[in-house]
Amino acid sequence: DISRYQKHRLKGVLASTCNKEIGLLSVAINYANSEWDWGLSNPCQGKRLPEPSGKTVFLTRGDATSLIKAVDRQAPHLVDLIDLAVQTGCRRKELLELEWDRIDWQKNEIILEAKHTKSAKARKVPISPSARSVLIRRASARSEYCPSTPWVFFHLRRTRNTEIGDRIKDVKTAMRSACRRAGLKGVTFHTLRHTFASWLGQMSGVEALTIRDLLGHSSVTMTDRYMHSDQADLHDA
């Protein structure tokens, strides 16, 4: 049944999508066994399809400039969001959920607690002078339009007597439109994270270990567990 389902799905989706679907069934079976003692066999085991590695996409500085210029005037916040993502390597969710009280202006750091990161590990992201300029622009927008909002990236929701700065939930549509106008194919918001790493590694010669700590990646090797960059080195990078 699993093999037949895979053959059927591969006519319309990628192997990675099929693996996610089979993986979901596998998780459900394992849950039923561990929580309800059903004692089911798991036919999903050993059925993972090989996935092509594909080409890692990152932007040149010219591409990044073109992308920012292509942002629709109705989404001015996207300019700052793209700029800050390239300058910090933060994930989209980490930036969209960023609150003002987690910006340390004195130490020039963005504070990400465990609940804010994908890896559930806290980290402090250094703020470069360029990133600081972006945050100053956001602070000016906040002061002008909605001083009470806790969110760095917000949109205004008008009520009868006041305007409320709600958190921006997503930028997929605006990002897709900007990429199309800029003529950039295969680019998503996550590409900006690859761009941050590529600019540091390939163009600036920053060591992979430092880039790993800046991005907040984890490793299962024992060496990686004990090797960490000094915070001062992260700021230098």
Side-chain angles (χ1 to χ4, degrees):
D1 289 338
I2 298 295
S3 297
R4 188 162 57 248
Y5 177 81
Q6 288 175 323
K7 291 179 181 179
H8 169 72
R9 289 295 283 145
L10 287 176
K11 295 177 181 178
V13 302
L14 297 175
S16 57
T17 299
C18 193
N19 284 336
K20 289 178 182 177
E21 295 171 350
I22 299 301
L24 178 60
L25 175 60
S26 179
V27 169
I29 292 173
N30 291 338
Y31 182 89
N33 289 337
S34 63
E35 298 297 324
W36 305 330
D37 299 322
W38 278 19
L40 301 174
S41 62
N42 192 338
C44 302
Q45 294 179 350
K47 286 292 187 178
R48 184 173 181 83
L49 298 170
E51 300 178 16
S53 58
K55 180 182 179 182
T56 300
V57 178
F58 67 92
L59 304 179
T60 65
R61 295 185 185 275
D63 290 337
T65 300
S66 298
L67 177 60
I68 287 177
K69 289 181 178 179
V71 172
D72 195 305
R73 292 181 180 179
Q74 295 181 351
H77 57 272
L78 186 58
V79 171
D80 291 338
L81 188 63
I82 292 172
D83 202 346
L84 194 59
V86 169
Q87 297 295 340
T88 63
C90 288
R91 296 179 175 88
R92 177 182 57 193
K93 188 172 184 288
E94 292 171 345
L95 293 179
L96 290 180
E97 295 184 358
L98 181 59
E99 300 151 298
W100 285 108
D101 62 3
R102 290 192 288 110
I103 297 176
D104 189 329
W105 294 98
Q106 292 184 334
K107 293 183 179 179
N108 279 319
E109 292 177 340
I110 292 174
I111 301 170
L112 297 176
E113 300 171 1
K115 62 182 179 181
H116 302 127
T117 67
K118 182 179 179 180
S119 61
K121 293 183 178 179
R123 77 179 191 277
K124 295 179 180 179
V125 181
I127 300 172
S128 67
S130 297
R132 187 181 177 92
S133 296
V134 178
L135 291 171
I136 290 174
R137 290 203 303 266
R138 296 308 304 163
S140 297
R142 179 200 191 200
S143 178
E144 180 178 356
Y145 297 111
C146 193
S148 62
T149 185
W151 308 109
V152 173
F153 293 96
F154 63 91
H155 66 87
L156 293 178
R157 177 167 56 88
R158 302 181 186 278
T159 62
R160 290 183 178 180
N161 301 320
T162 186
E163 291 181 333
I164 299 175
D166 289 338
R167 180 174 71 83
I168 295 174
K169 299 295 179 61
D170 207 351
V171 292
K172 284 184 180 179
T173 301
M175 184 72 181
R176 190 182 302 117
S177 298
C179 290
R180 184 176 62 251
R181 284 192 290 270
L184 299 173
K185 296 182 179 180
V187 173
T188 65
F189 195 90
H190 195 71
T191 304
L192 305 179
R193 190 164 156 85
H194 285 286
T195 299
F196 170 81
S198 297
W199 287 5
L200 283 177
Q202 297 182 14
M203 302 178 188
S204 300
V206 176
E207 294 183 356
L209 181 64
T210 301
I211 297 174
R212 185 208 66 182
D213 286 347
L214 284 167
L215 291 173
H217 282 161
S218 299
S219 175
V220 297
T221 63
M222 186 61 67
T223 303
D224 253 3
R225 289 180 182 178
Y226 286 91
M227 294 177 63
H228 296 280
S229 301
D230 183 84
Q231 190 70 14
D233 292 336
L234 300 185
H235 277 269
D236 290 342

